[in-house]
């Protein structure tokens, strides 16, 4: 038994564990929510089932307990519990809260709890002295009570896959959230592969009943479909949760970088209070908020030095060759650079039209202004044209 043989088992197990890990913070915050509890339990049962069926863990359980094949009822119980939780979770997704829905959910739990109890009873009644790591289902398929044990978990899994796939197919038409819709697609694919797993297993078992050796269907063909089912289910649960989070992270990262040139330019200004220092592990959205706040504080300090007339002239020059948003960004960048120079010289702005101030045409476009500062050539061309126009004006 080489370590590489266990890699196919490890991949879906790690994926399901990751899905559970990403779900735990939500569970801690909203454990009273039935949907959150159902999703977390489903991931826990499915992860536990895969952990148990890893061949090396089967051997460890046999040695630790001294009971041959004890991993079977454990793994099949976890699998059955995940089937029940999956069905109830989908019901909660699709149906509005009602007494009818609550009765159906209770009925499913009662049925599957009964199946789990029956799994342990049949295992205790069966005579399975020889440990079987890979072919337990077919090797003991004709053994009294173990035969029923195997059929119980296969039929329970088959029914849950059929029911879940049908419900997801109907619900798919109503889902509008793209991340959730993608997750449903992966879940549907996972349940479809689960049906292939059940078909291969049942065919091999029934072949044994008729004296035919089709064990390869159970030992070779079925396991990859079970592992792919687990992997797709993990992806189906990970995508709706991590997709929006990654999208927000990308947006915040882009905003954080865009604000850097303007933030660097105004660092020479002393804020009214010492800024809070955030460590590396502080969430990115808080660091974006801190950078935005630092820029707005600096703009308030620059207000007496802000030349509104210069801003308007820069905007008129930039608007000749750019759209409105880019023209305002270039004008804002030019005016802020001028205000910073005035601040350094200690010469407040003096305008004839209105007192110095920084309005929303600047404060509402700090990210675009920061990008304009990152492109000095474009900014310098506008400033040169402004200087040239000013030089020509007295001779007009």
């Amino acid at each position: 038994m080489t370590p590489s043989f266990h890699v196919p088992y490890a991949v879906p197990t790690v994926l399901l564990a990751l899905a559970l890990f990403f779900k735990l913070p939500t569970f801690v915050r909203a454990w009273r929510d039935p949907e959150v509890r159902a999703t977390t339990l489903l991931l826990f049962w499915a992860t536990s089932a895969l952990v148990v069926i890893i061949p090396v863990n089967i051997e460890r359980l046999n040695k630790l307990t001294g009971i041959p094949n004890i991993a079977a009822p454990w793994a099949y119980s976890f699998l059955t519990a995940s089937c029940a939780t999956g069905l109830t979770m989908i019901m909660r997704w699709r149906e509005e809260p009602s007494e009818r829905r609550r009765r159906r959910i209770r009925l499913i739990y009662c049925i599957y709890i009964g199946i789990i109890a029956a799994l342990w009873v049949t295992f205790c009644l069966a005579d399975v002295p020889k440990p079987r790591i890979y072919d337990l289902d077919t090797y003991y398929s004709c053994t009294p009570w173990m035969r029923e044990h195997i059929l119980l978990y296969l039929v329970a899994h088959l029914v849950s896959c059929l029911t879940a796939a049908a419900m997801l197919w109907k619900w798919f038409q109503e889902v509008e959230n793209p991340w959730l819709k993608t997750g449903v697609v992966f879940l549907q694919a996972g349940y479809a592969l689960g049906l292939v797993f059940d078909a291969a297993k049942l065919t091999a078992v029934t072949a044994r009943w008729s004296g035919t050796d089709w064990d390869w269907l159970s030992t070779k063909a079925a396991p990859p479909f079970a592992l792919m089912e687990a992997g797709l289910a993990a992806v189906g649960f990970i995508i709706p949760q991590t997709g929006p989070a990654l999208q927000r992270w990308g947006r915040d990262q882009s905003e954080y970088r865009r604000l850097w040139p303007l933030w660097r330019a105004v660092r020479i200004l002393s804020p009214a209070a010492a800024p809070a220092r955030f460590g590396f592990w502080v969430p990115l959205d808080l660091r974006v908020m801190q950078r935005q706040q630092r820029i707005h504080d600096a703009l308030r300090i620059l207000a007496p030095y802000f030349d509104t007339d210069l801003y308007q002239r820069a905007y008129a020059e930039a608007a000749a060759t750019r759209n409105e948003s880019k023209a305002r960004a270039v004008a804002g960048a030019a005016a802020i650079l001028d205000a910073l120079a005035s601040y350094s010289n200690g010469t407040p702005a003096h305008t004839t039209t209105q007192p110095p101030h920084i309005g929303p045409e600047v404060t509402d476009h700090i990210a675009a202004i920061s990008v304009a500062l990152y492109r000095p050539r474009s900014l310098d061309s506008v400033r040169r044209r402004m200087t040239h126009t000013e030089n020509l004006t007295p001779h007009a």
Side-chain angles (χ1 to χ4, degrees):
M1 193 181 307
T2 62
S4 62
F5 186 81
H6 299 153
V7 171
Y9 292 87
V11 171
T13 305
V14 170
L15 285 174
L16 279 169
L18 280 174
L20 179 60
F21 173 78
F22 284 119
K23 193 65 181 177
L24 281 178
T26 305
F27 176 74
V28 172
R29 291 194 305 268
W31 64 272
R32 295 179 184 274
D33 188 331
E35 292 185 15
V36 173
R37 285 203 307 269
T39 306
T40 307
L41 283 174
L42 174 62
L43 294 171
F44 176 76
W45 301 136
T47 304
S48 301
L50 282 180
V51 169
V52 171
I53 68 168
I54 294 175
V56 67
N57 289 339
I58 294 176
E59 290 184 337
R60 287 170 180 167
L61 272 175
N62 290 338
K63 292 177 181 178
L64 182 65
T65 62
I67 303 174
N69 303 304
I70 188 64
W74 275 112
Y76 299 158
S77 295
F78 287 135
L79 180 62
T80 303
S82 68
C83 291
T85 311
L87 289 175
T88 59
M89 181 187 67
I90 296 171
M91 286 182 181
R92 289 189 174 97
W93 281 351
R94 294 182 65 246
E95 303 176 20
E96 294 293 330
S98 66
E99 184 60 33
R100 178 176 176 272
R101 191 188 76 171
R102 283 192 291 271
R103 285 198 303 269
R104 292 173 65 198
I105 290 175
R106 284 197 296 266
L107 177 62
I108 289 175
Y109 278 134
C110 288
I111 291 173
Y112 278 81
I113 288 172
I115 292 172
I116 292 172
L119 284 171
W120 284 94
V121 170
T122 52
F123 179 79
C124 291
L125 294 174
D127 182 21
V128 287
K130 188 174 182 180
R132 307 302 297 184
I133 304 298
Y134 305 106
D135 62 345
L136 179 139
D137 290 345
T138 51
Y139 187 85
Y140 288 113
S141 61
C142 297
T143 302
W145 294 112
M146 196 61 184
R147 173 182 57 230
E148 289 76 11
H149 178 86
I150 294 165
L151 282 177
L152 270 173
Y153 98 84
L154 284 175
V155 171
H157 186 258
L158 175 66
V159 171
S160 69
C161 283
L162 282 171
T163 307
M167 288 193 295
L168 285 170
W169 178 258
K170 293 179 181 178
W171 185 54
F172 177 79
Q173 310 300 326
E174 304 171 8
V175 179
E176 296 181 357
N177 184 290
W179 292 108
L180 184 57
K181 201 158 195 170
T182 303
V184 170
V185 170
F186 276 97
L187 288 173
Q188 285 178 312
Y191 282 119
L193 292 176
L195 293 174
V196 179
F197 165 82
D198 292 326
K201 282 280 187 179
L202 287 169
T203 302
V205 169
T206 53
R208 272 288 186 134
W209 295 347
S210 62
T212 305
D213 185 353
W214 285 359
D215 289 8
W216 64 272
L217 284 172
S218 176
T219 58
K220 302 293 185 183
F225 289 104
L227 296 175
M228 286 190 290
E229 174 194 4
L232 288 172
V235 173
F237 284 108
I238 289 173
I239 285 178
Q241 298 173 55
T242 60
L246 288 174
Q247 191 175 30
R248 287 193 300 272
W249 182 88
R251 186 172 58 246
D252 290 340
Q253 184 70 26
S254 175
E255 183 72 5
Y256 191 72
R257 290 180 177 177
R258 290 175 69 196
L259 291 171
W260 183 80
L262 181 55
W263 171 80
R264 186 182 64 170
V266 300
R267 278 192 305 176
I268 63 171
L269 305 176
S270 301
R277 294 186 177 275
F278 288 163
F280 178 77
W281 296 108
V282 171
L284 183 58
D285 57 341
L286 290 181
R287 284 187 279 153
V288 171
M289 187 183 304
Q290 184 197 37
R291 183 161 284 188
Q292 291 172 336
Q293 187 60 49
R294 180 71 182 88
I295 292 172
H296 282 291
D297 288 343
L299 292 180
R300 282 194 289 271
I301 296 173
L302 284 178
Y305 306 89
F306 187 80
D307 191 335
T308 305
D309 291 341
L310 184 144
Y311 172 85
Q312 296 296 342
R313 294 196 306 273
Y315 174 72
E317 289 290 342
T321 56
R322 296 168 178 80
N323 60 37
E324 181 182 356
S325 61
K326 290 185 177 180
R328 290 197 178 280
V330 171
I336 287 175
L337 288 178
D338 179 79
L340 285 168
S342 299
Y343 174 86
S344 299
N345 297 330
T347 55
H350 298 284
T351 61
T352 56
T353 56
Q354 54 185 320
H357 74 288
I358 299 181
E361 66 275 4
V362 172
T363 57
D364 290 351
H365 300 85
I366 59 173
I369 291 171
S370 185
V371 172
L373 286 172
Y374 188 70
R375 298 169 180 169
R377 290 185 180 180
S378 177
L379 184 58
D380 289 342
S381 66
V382 171
R383 297 170 78 179
R384 282 195 301 269
R385 288 201 303 272
M386 288 173 56
T387 304
H388 180 68
T389 302
E390 290 172 357
N391 291 336
L392 292 177
T393 300
H395 305 285

